[in-house]
């Protein structure tokens, strides 16, 4: 007996559903174990990542406490205890703590007038490609400052040249070192140009801009201030007349 249109549609749906079940069963039999394994591996990897992240946060917290302990020891003039803690932190895998510990070691050496040792510490940061560039630049400036009396003026000028440019965050410090090197060479004109550049940059701290305005005036060069702040710095205190390193 022929099927009515409605019965025919119902029969086709049943056949289609049965075919889908057979296909799904085939896929499950063939790939089910692999799918389960992939899900388990993914969950295990995610759990391992969360555990690793938690451990990293704990380790960072411990290193932060160690650094504070070193600072407390230095405040109490206990350089031995501080030195042991700082030496450990200089081996940290975290750039921030490693750099801070190394800078602090260098500062302690500077207090002891060990310029060579301090310069070596700064150089280790300046040459560390894993450290962010601003910290490397600062380390290079401080290394050069510590070594200034033992370096040829042209070496100082060449080191500071990439940093003593308008817009660079270290223009003030690098520019003073560069200008001092030019003065040692007797190049008052070049030194005055650098001081004028410092005075005109509004990003440079006001104390450095004041010195730059004064030095440019002493060298018979007109430092063009970029703002009323710099213009008002034309008559700073007399005891700021010398460039500091």
């Amino acid at each position: 007996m022929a099927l009515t249109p409605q019965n025919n549609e119902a029969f086709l749906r049943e056949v289609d559903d049965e075919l889908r079940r057979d296909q799904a069963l085939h896929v499950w039999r063939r790939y089910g174990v692999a799918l389960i394994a992939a899900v388990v591996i993914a969950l295990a990897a995610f759990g391992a990542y969360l555990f690793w992240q938690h451990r990293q946060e704990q380790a960072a917290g411990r290193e932060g406490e160690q650094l504070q302990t070193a600072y407390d020891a230095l405040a109490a003039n206990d350089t031995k205890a501080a030195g042991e803690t700082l030496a450990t932190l200089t081996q940290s895998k975290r750039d921030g703590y490693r750099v801070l510990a190394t800078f602090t070691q260098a500062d302690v050496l500077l207090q002891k007038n060990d310029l060579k040792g301090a310069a070596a510490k700064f150089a280790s940061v300046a040459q560390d490609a894993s450290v962010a560039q601003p910290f490397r630049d600062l380390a290079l400036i401080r290394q050069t400052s510590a070594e200034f009396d033992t370096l040829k003026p042209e070496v100082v000028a060449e080191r500071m040249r990439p940093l003593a440019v308008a817009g660079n965050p270290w223009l003030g410090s690098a520019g003073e070192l560069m200008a001092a090197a030019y003065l040692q060479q007797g190049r008052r004109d070049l030194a005055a140009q650098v001081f004028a550049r410092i005075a005109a940059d509004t990003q440079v701290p006001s104390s450095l801009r004041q010195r730059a305005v004064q030095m440019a005036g002493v060298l018979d060069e007109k430092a063009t201030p970029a703002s009323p702040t710099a213009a008002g710095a034309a008559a700073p205190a007399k005891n700021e007349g010398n460039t500091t390193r």
Side-chain angles (χ1 to χ4, degrees):
M1 186 172 62
L3 295 174
T4 63
Q6 291 181 345
N7 290 337
N8 190 44
E9 286 184 17
F11 175 75
L12 291 176
R13 281 197 301 272
E14 290 180 4
V15 172
D16 185 58
D17 291 342
E18 188 65 29
L19 180 60
R20 290 175 183 274
R21 282 193 293 270
D22 288 343
Q23 289 175 337
L25 184 60
H26 175 72
V27 170
W28 176 254
R29 287 173 178 173
R30 186 170 182 177
Y31 302 108
V33 175
L35 290 173
I36 292 174
V39 171
V40 171
I41 291 173
L43 291 174
F46 182 66
Y49 170 75
L50 292 178
F51 177 74
W52 173 84
Q53 190 177 48
H54 176 66
R55 292 293 299 271
Q56 290 294 102
E57 291 175 354
Q58 285 185 323
R62 286 194 297 270
E63 290 185 345
E65 292 174 357
Q66 289 176 329
L67 187 62
Q68 184 59 54
T69 299
Y71 289 156
D72 292 341
L74 289 175
N77 294 320
D78 189 354
T79 56
K80 182 179 179 181
E84 294 173 354
T85 303
L86 292 172
T88 300
L89 289 174
T90 56
Q91 305 303 315
S92 173
K93 295 181 180 180
R94 295 168 183 80
D95 293 343
Y97 290 121
R98 186 172 70 253
V99 169
L100 285 173
T102 305
F103 269 75
T104 305
Q105 283 183 325
D107 287 334
V108 172
L109 292 172
L110 287 176
Q111 291 179 355
K112 297 179 179 179
N113 205 32
D114 185 356
L115 300 181
K116 185 176 180 180
K121 293 293 183 182
F122 290 130
S124 68
V125 177
Q127 297 167 7
D128 189 344
S130 67
V131 176
Q133 193 62 47
F135 293 106
R136 297 178 63 189
D137 292 342
L138 176 59
L140 181 61
I141 291 171
R142 300 205 62 188
Q143 174 194 350
T144 304
S145 179
E147 296 176 331
F148 188 89
D149 292 333
T150 63
L151 295 175
K152 293 181 178 180
E154 54 268 26
V155 174
V156 175
E158 191 61 29
R159 280 188 186 178
M160 298 296 100
R161 194 179 310 281
L163 306 179
V165 295
N168 189 286
W170 304 119
L171 167 60
S173 300
E176 285 195 329
L177 287 171
M178 190 177 189
Y182 283 144
L183 288 175
Q184 282 191 339
Q185 292 178 308
R187 298 303 306 273
R188 294 168 61 92
D189 56 334
L190 295 180
Q193 290 175 19
V194 176
F195 283 125
R197 191 183 312 151
I198 296 172
D201 195 316
T202 57
Q203 296 183 21
V204 175
S206 59
S207 60
L208 296 183
R209 295 175 67 195
Q210 289 177 5
R211 285 203 297 268
V213 170
Q214 183 177 12
M215 289 302 299
V218 169
L219 295 171
D220 295 327
E221 288 287 338
K222 184 179 180 182
T224 304
S227 70
T229 302
K238 292 182 179 180
N239 61 0
E240 290 185 349
N242 295 326
T243 303
T244 59
R245 296 193 288 269

